[in-house]
Amino acid sequence: MLVTRHRNPIQNTRKFDLINEFFNALETQNSEEPREVFDFVPAVNTREGADAYYIELDLPGIKKEDVEISVDKNILTIKGKREVKKEEEKEDYYRIESAYGTFSRSFTLPEKVDSENIRATGENGVVEITIPKLKVEKDTTKKIEIE
């Protein structure tokens, strides 16, 4: 009897679902702070690399001086405000568009991260936060001789 093994494409997508669930679990609301109402929620992308976790926030038009990133009790919080004013003046009209508001996003960090070396960079309206993983030696099997 010939036994064949069929690959199940659904099973492969489950791995991605687990990764998405992991990053969704990272994002939490800090229950110790009073609930605030925020004017907008910036888009966030999260990913995991071999040596670090990465969080990217879309913050177009927001100055880096208006963004505050902090870590407290293993919770990473990004807060900020936007003040965008766009004026356009033509011969027959004058238009002002402005957008003001505050935002806050919080993420619970995994246990094995180097919170002392978290860094953030910003370019073209995107802020990337790099959260290094702690170096953990892999378990190795060691044979112990009886004396």
Side-chain angles (χ1 to χ4, degrees):
M1 176 177 192
L2 179 62
V3 177
T4 59
R5 188 175 199 178
H6 296 282
R7 292 194 173 262
N8 183 351
I10 302 297
Q11 186 176 13
N12 290 337
T13 60
R14 286 188 185 137
K15 291 178 186 176
F16 293 111
D17 290 340
L18 291 173
I19 292 170
N20 286 334
E21 285 178 29
F22 169 75
F23 282 114
N24 288 337
L26 284 178
E27 186 176 348
T28 63
Q29 258 320 338
N30 186 353
S31 60
E32 294 178 9
E33 291 184 9
R35 288 208 169 247
E36 299 178 53
V37 176
F38 296 103
D39 300 309
F40 73 101
V41 179
V44 174
N45 293 319
T46 56
R47 62 187 164 87
E48 178 180 2
D51 298 327
Y53 298 99
Y54 302 92
I55 299 174
E56 294 176 353
L57 285 96
D58 290 334
L59 301 173
I62 299 176
K63 300 173 193 164
K64 67 180 181 179
E65 298 83 27
D66 294 334
V67 178
E68 177 186 318
I69 303 170
S70 61
V71 177
D72 183 32
K73 298 178 186 170
N74 216 35
I75 295 178
L76 177 82
T77 302
I78 305 123
K79 291 183 178 184
K81 64 180 178 177
R82 68 175 173 181
E83 296 178 0
V84 180
K85 188 173 186 178
K86 182 179 175 183
E87 294 185 47
E88 185 175 351
E89 188 172 350
K90 300 282 183 171
E91 271 184 37
D92 54 345
Y93 71 90
Y94 180 71
R95 178 176 71 175
I96 299 176
E97 291 185 19
S98 55
Y100 297 92
T102 58
F103 68 90
S104 178
R105 298 289 304 258
S106 294
F107 302 87
T108 300
L109 300 176
E111 290 180 22
K112 300 200 186 297
V113 297
D114 185 1
S115 61
E116 296 296 321
N117 290 309
I118 295 174
R119 66 182 192 280
T121 58
E123 187 175 334
N124 298 327
V126 177
V127 173
E128 181 178 72
I129 302 168
T130 304
I131 306 160
K133 295 179 180 179
L134 287 175
K135 304 283 187 225
V136 179
E137 292 186 26
K138 294 184 179 181
D139 293 334
T140 56
T141 305
K142 179 180 176 183
K143 186 175 181 180
I144 300 171
E145 297 289 331
I146 301 174
E147 294 181 19

